[in-house]
Amino acid sequence: MSLPAVETHPLTPDRFGDFERLMGPKGGYGGCWCMLWRLGKAAYDEGRGAANRAAMEDVVRAGPPPGVLAYDGDLPVGWVSVAPRQVFVRLSSSRVLKPVDERPVWSVSCLYIARGHRRKGISGPLLRAAADLARSHGAACLEGYPVAPDKSSYPVSYAWTGFHEIFLRAGFREVARRSPTRPIMRLELAP
């Protein structure tokens, strides 16, 4: 399969309109605006929708870029969220995704692909761009939390952390699995 000719760009303030366009009026999945992992449960639930959108805009304006957008021409078609693990406060309370060790890592917490562009190879370029962004900020290791479904017909809308196979193809290796369907995967980032 040939990969699409997508371009990737870090999400900077001048590209926030493209992020809004990609997420649509509902803000991705149910008003998330990619804030699920960044906020505690109460703050996230209270902010669903407009407040989460404003919170993400604040994150983007404060910098560094919280992720990377993929484009098909001028159309934003994909998004990957990437930042130091400690930014994603909800990871610290997850029994399944708790830290593997004390090593500082950056985390990929979300892969969102526009409906008409899913299953077309956009996640791979996004993961490479996430690795490049993390590396440019001094990260030595990138971690991801994809799903490894135990059935072939897994709804894509529930795989917002990506699929296990996509991470494997991007060079990640499994380092832990505390749940049958949720591996923790790592990619070493050479300087």
Side-chain angles (χ1 to χ4, degrees), residues 10-11 34 38 56 59 64-68 79-85 87-88 105-111 126-127 129-135 137 139 141-143 172 189:
L11 176 55
C34 214
R38 290 176 175 269
M56 178 52 88
V59 167
V68 178
W79 157 253
V80 61
S81 174
V82 60
R85 182 185 165 97
V87 166
F88 301 115
V105 299
W106 276 49
S107 296
V108 168
S109 66
C110 179
L111 271 166
L126 276 171
L127 285 174
D132 290 343
L133 181 63
R135 186 182 300 109
H137 288 280
C141 183
L142 183 60
E143 200 169 79
F172 286 72
L189 303 176

Side-chain angles (χ1 to χ4, degrees), residues 2-190:
S2 65
L3 293 177
V6 297
E7 284 189 28
T8 58
H9 297 280
L11 176 55
T12 52
D14 60 311
R15 292 185 182 275
F16 193 77
D18 292 342
F19 179 73
E20 289 179 298
R21 186 173 169 196
L22 174 65
M23 291 293 151
K26 292 183 180 180
Y29 298 116
C32 180
W33 291 99
C34 214
M35 292 300 294
L36 175 78
W37 294 104
R38 290 176 175 269
L39 299 173
K41 182 175 177 9
Y44 171 78
D45 288 344
E46 185 179 313
R48 235 174 233 238
N52 282 347
R53 184 215 149 283
M56 178 52 88
E57 187 172 16
D58 289 345
V59 167
V60 172
R61 290 196 188 290
V68 178
L69 289 167
Y71 292 84
D72 180 1
D74 291 334
L75 181 67
V77 296
W79 157 253
V80 61
S81 174
V82 60
R85 182 185 165 97
Q86 65 268 20
V87 166
F88 301 115
V89 297
R90 278 215 163 142
L91 284 175
S92 65
S93 64
S94 172
R95 178 184 54 79
V96 172
L97 303 177
K98 66 185 178 185
V100 173
D101 52 34
E102 298 298 318
R103 188 172 183 202
V105 299
W106 276 49
S107 296
V108 168
S109 66
C110 179
L111 271 166
Y112 180 85
I113 309 299
R115 178 167 281 146
H117 287 77
R118 293 178 186 157
R119 299 186 188 272
K120 294 187 178 179
I122 292 172
S123 295
L126 276 171
L127 285 174
R128 285 190 293 281
D132 290 343
L133 181 63
R135 186 182 300 109
S136 75
H137 288 280
C141 183
L142 183 60
E143 200 169 79
Y145 318 101
V147 293
D150 53 6
K151 55 186 173 182
S152 61
S153 61
Y154 193 82
V156 173
S157 60
Y158 294 136
W160 46 268
T161 55
F163 284 106
H164 179 249
E165 297 80 21
I166 294 164
F167 280 77
L168 285 173
R169 284 194 301 263
F172 286 72
R173 65 179 180 82
E174 188 172 323
V175 294
R177 190 182 291 227
R178 299 180 184 109
S179 163
T181 61
R182 290 305 297 268
I184 296 176
M185 315 232 5
R186 282 187 175 172
L187 177 68
E188 297 300 323
L189 303 176

